[in-house]
Amino acid sequence: MIPRYLLLTCFLVVLALNANAHVHNSLAGFVGLGPNRHRALDHVQRPAPRVLGSVEFSIRTSLNYNMGNELNPRRTKKNGIPNQRMNENHEMLQIAKMHEAEVVERALSNALEEARFKHYTKAPQLFPSVRQCNSAIATFGDAGDFRRALKLFTQMRKSVSLIRRISRSWNWFSSTGISDNTIYRGAKETTDGPNYTNGTVYNVSIDLVKDAPAPTLVTYSTLMSRAVSVGKPRVAIRLWNLMKNQPNFYTNVISRKQRQGRISDPSVFLDPNELHKLEVDDSAIVPDVIFCNTLMNAYAKLGDHKMARFILNSMLGSPKAGNIVLHEIPQVNPTVVTFNTLADACKEVGDLAAGLEVLELMSSHAQLTGDNKIAPDARTYTILISTVARKTKHHHETRDIRSGGERDPDKAFDLLNEMISKGIHPNGITFCALIDVCSRCRRYDLALNGLRIMLSRKKVESNKNRQLFNEVGAWTAAINACGKAGRIDTAMRLFKTMQRFSVKPNAVTCASLTDSLVKAGKITETLEVLQYMKNEGLSPGEVMYTSLMSSLLGIAKRENDNILTSGGLKVKVIDKLVPAERHLANGLNTTNSIVLYTELMRSMVRDSSGEDVLLKIFLVFQEMKAAGVSPDLPCYNALLRACSFAGDADKAQDVLRRIVDDGLEPNDASWREALKAAAKQGRSDLADTIWNTAVARKKGTYDMGFIPRASDVDLLISTYWQEAQKTTNHSVRALFHRKIIDLFEGVQMRSVERGLCHVPVDELEQNQVLILTVFRAAVSLVLAPRKGDLGNPRDNIYDFDADRIRAQELACEIAGLHVVQGKLLSTIDGKTKKALSIARDWMLAY
């Protein structure tokens, strides 16, 4: 007989599992597509299956996160949330979603394999729910891994098809003897991802059910929207065609019922209530407004505004004579996003007349329904303004009067005045579109007029305590318009003026300006812009990189054409056919190309990916060499800085050898960047080699060569300490501790041999983190077990060799410093504090 306490324990475990699944079901859902109705379609289209199990995994992270509370805590008056904290929460939440999606992916893959190869055992397969699969598809798509999302969707369809085939061979679930109240417990997983700290654990669970996850409307809508976002609208159209052919698509369900004689008049399903009933009773897929917007966006990206208009006609219902509709799209109330998407489709093909028809249709539909939410907004007018003068008329086409002239931006100004008269506030993107129209029409004077209108509107908005957002786009468009018109000085003045209006140029602004400056031969101004990018931490994008490389190759070619070698001497040749003022205007000399190449490499160092930026910079260097430009020391130092940023000490040593081979002498910056590369890679052996080589090349001269600073000593000591922490060999660890002590004592004794005569020891002693690192090394060397030692090393305190006695004296000396006796930093760990207590015991023992 089973004891009662054991039955009670099993009952409590079952309740806990059901509660965990219920909490997770209340939080999981479709991400990013809007209304609650759309999120709840999974439950509407299919009766909620009995939960048969759960798979749990734990994520270690620094974010305090409670699955039973809100995912994003709200800001209150008593408890403000700093922006940095909110960003960390968002990042950790995205990591948690990605790990949950990976668990769903593995669970579905395992269930599919078991159903494929082990179905003869008649054991039920447990699948993730369709809601969790939809959430995983959204997570993969948002992360940019669309192939993975598509693969998960394919596995969902395969699982449904496989289970349907198996169920036809025998009664799949009834033959297993599983009752409705049976609960299976899934295997637990503990996932420790990268950069998880502080030991806080999330318990995130996924539900396993006995029904295969059949794709729903949410599944198709999620996958189609992600396909459009990654630039694959044709894939979204193919998914739409696939969805139309599904047996549970609502038109196919209606046709099947009509053939079976269950309905006599299919027109009754034009009523939205009947369609909703069809969703509930037959799990039919019925497109809603969000899906229709996604489908229209796919056609808009392809420039097919006619198909987008057909979808809108179908959504409105009761089409006028001559309007074409799609019978697969039911009657749905459109939103302002629907009309704006259609206007965007007209913009893609430059059809302003069709876009103006959308504007009229929006206004009339808003008046007809009395819903001001679908009235034209700032985005509508911005799209229409951007459509002006976008399409070039062919000779066989007739001009539409409503579209205005082919090179006439007046229509854009008319639309701007119209939206202001209707009380719609234009933003920075609106003015950016307006100025871009003037640029296409080659009217830089009107572009500057548009910028002046924006500044006047900004003043009006500021008086009403409103802000004008996204101003930088309008300034960038104005700079680009002046650059294309050859007004380089005006463009440069705008670049400086926008900063006085508290608008910071971004990477696109700098790319547009440098492209015009380099083509005009304005070398000094180009260097000024690149220096700004370096100071602001901006990295050149692909377009700017390509533009600068092509322009620099042209400059290098012109320089090489003007230089020839005569008797071993380089002589500059001046072409008399070219006016002298042209050379002065271009500002070309033999150093222009190398200076620009160097500044380009310096501006690229601040990229986010170390390996990628190192590859790009070395490619720039190779292109420079191929163009016949001889690199100088600043150019090589830019390469070394890239090596230190990427942590590649081997390449840094290669660059140092190239410097010497070219007859140049490395300076302090060269050796320092090479040391940083070795330190970041964790190679103390290379750091020692670089240090010794740098000191030996200029030993005894203090005005040139490598003169170490306190920061260099700190860097080398940190490298020793990191490697000492990684090893488990006591002898190797003691060797690194001795190196730290020798280096610090060399600073105290002003060792000329190691180039430490100019390093101020006071600066090192004021650095609490550095001095405690030396202190830890000294204490660790004293307490390190020797071969054959038994018992506690403290018991043999006076039986040390010379190194240990020296280390003990240094530890006592550091323990008496004021910087150590004062308040310690919060980053100091418990081992350091314990070492301080040991050193104080030693001081008392003397």
Side-chain angles (χ1 to χ4, degrees), residues 506-581:
N506 55 20
V508 180
T509 311
C510 297
S512 176
L513 183 57
T514 52
D515 181 64
S516 301
L517 290 173
V518 174
K519 290 179 179 178
K522 299 290 186 178
I523 306 302
T524 304
E525 290 81 359
T526 305
L527 294 176
E528 184 179 348
V529 176
L530 291 176
Q531 185 64 34
Y532 169 83
M533 295 183 65
K534 179 183 176 182
N535 296 336
E536 295 295 328
L538 301 176
S539 299
E542 299 297 333
V543 177
M544 181 178 180
Y545 171 79
T546 306
S547 174
L548 280 178
M549 287 300 299
S550 60
S551 300
L552 288 175
L553 287 176
I555 293 177
K557 184 177 183 302
R558 288 196 296 268
E559 291 177 354
N560 292 332
D561 291 341
N562 291 334
I563 296 176
L564 57 84
T565 303
S566 176
L569 298 177
K570 290 185 176 180
V571 181
K572 186 170 183 179
V573 178
I574 299 178
D575 190 356
K576 295 183 178 180
L577 298 179
V578 180
E581 53 270 16

Side-chain angles (χ1 to χ4, degrees), residues 27 213 219 239 245 262 387 480 490 534 559 619 772 812:
L27 294 175
T219 310
L239 289 169
N245 295 326
R262 298 167 58 185
T387 312
N480 185 44
T490 305
K534 179 183 176 182
E559 291 177 354
L619 286 176
L772 287 178
C812 294

Side-chain angles (χ1 to χ4, degrees), residues 95-117:
I95 295 175
K97 288 181 179 179
M98 179 58 69
H99 279 274
E100 181 181 359
E102 291 172 351
V103 172
V104 172
E105 183 184 39
R106 286 196 298 270
L108 181 59
S109 178
N110 294 337
L112 187 60
E113 292 297 325
E114 291 179 3
R116 183 178 297 166
F117 298 107

Side-chain angles (χ1 to χ4, degrees), residues 300-316:
K301 298 304 179 184
L302 294 175
D304 193 350
H305 68 289
K306 293 183 179 180
M307 283 297 299
R309 180 58 189 268
F310 296 162
I311 295 173
L312 179 61
N313 294 339
S314 303
M315 295 173 66
L316 294 175

Side-chain angles (χ1 to χ4, degrees), residues 108 118 137 169 197 211 303 310 363 378 427 431 504 515 524 555 605 618 657 663 758 789 800:
L108 181 59
K118 298 182 180 180
I137 289 175
S169 58
T197 56
D211 291 333
F310 296 162
S363 302
N427 51 31
F431 288 103
K504 284 190 173 183
D515 181 64
T524 304
I555 293 177
V605 171
F618 270 88
R657 283 191 288 268
H758 289 283
D789 278 353
F800 291 154

Side-chain angles (χ1 to χ4, degrees), residues 520-676:
K522 299 290 186 178
I523 306 302
T524 304
E525 290 81 359
T526 305
L527 294 176
E528 184 179 348
V529 176
L530 291 176
Q531 185 64 34
Y532 169 83
M533 295 183 65
K534 179 183 176 182
N535 296 336
E536 295 295 328
L538 301 176
S539 299
E542 299 297 333
V543 177
M544 181 178 180
Y545 171 79
T546 306
S547 174
L548 280 178
M549 287 300 299
S550 60
S551 300
L552 288 175
L553 287 176
I555 293 177
K557 184 177 183 302
R558 288 196 296 268
E559 291 177 354
N560 292 332
D561 291 341
N562 291 334
I563 296 176
L564 57 84
T565 303
S566 176
L569 298 177
K570 290 185 176 180
V571 181
K572 186 170 183 179
V573 178
I574 299 178
D575 190 356
K576 295 183 178 180
L577 298 179
V578 180
E581 53 270 16
R582 179 178 174 185
H583 288 278
L584 296 176
N586 291 338
L588 297 177
N589 54 58
T590 56
T591 62
N592 284 338
S593 57
I594 182 60
V595 172
L596 285 175
Y597 274 116
T598 303
E599 287 300 324
L600 176 60
M601 289 189 287
R602 286 176 179 173
S603 63
M604 294 172 63
V605 171
R606 287 183 170 270
D607 206 324
S608 58
S609 177
E611 295 182 359
D612 291 342
V613 70
L614 185 61
L615 176 61
K616 289 179 181 179
I617 290 178
F618 270 88
L619 286 176
V620 173
F621 182 78
Q622 295 298 333
E623 290 289 338
M624 182 187 69
K625 295 277 287 184
V629 180
S630 299
D632 57 0
L633 187 58
C635 181
Y636 279 118
N637 286 345
L639 286 179
L640 288 170
R641 183 169 178 80
C643 295
S644 68
F645 183 79
D648 196 333
D650 295 325
K651 280 191 173 62
Q653 283 192 313
D654 292 338
V655 175
L656 288 174
R657 283 191 288 268
R658 288 188 184 184
I659 294 175
V660 177
D661 293 340
D662 287 351
L664 302 174
E665 188 65 37
N667 58 9
D668 282 6
S670 309
W671 299 113
R672 195 161 286 118
E673 296 298 341
L675 279 174
K676 290 179 181 179

Side-chain angles (χ1 to χ4, degrees), residues 30 68 86 100 204 206 290 292 406 519 633 740 752-753:
F30 181 68
M86 294 179 66
E100 181 181 359
V204 182
I206 66 169
I290 297 178
C292 294
E406 185 176 345
K519 290 179 179 178
L633 187 58
I740 294 175
V752 179
E753 183 69 22

Side-chain angles (χ1 to χ4, degrees), residues 827-844:
T827 55
I828 304 302
D829 57 1
K831 293 182 179 180
T832 304
K833 296 177 181 178
K834 184 177 180 181
L836 284 172
S837 64
I838 295 174
R840 293 190 180 104
D841 292 341
W842 292 342
M843 295 172 66
L844 294 175

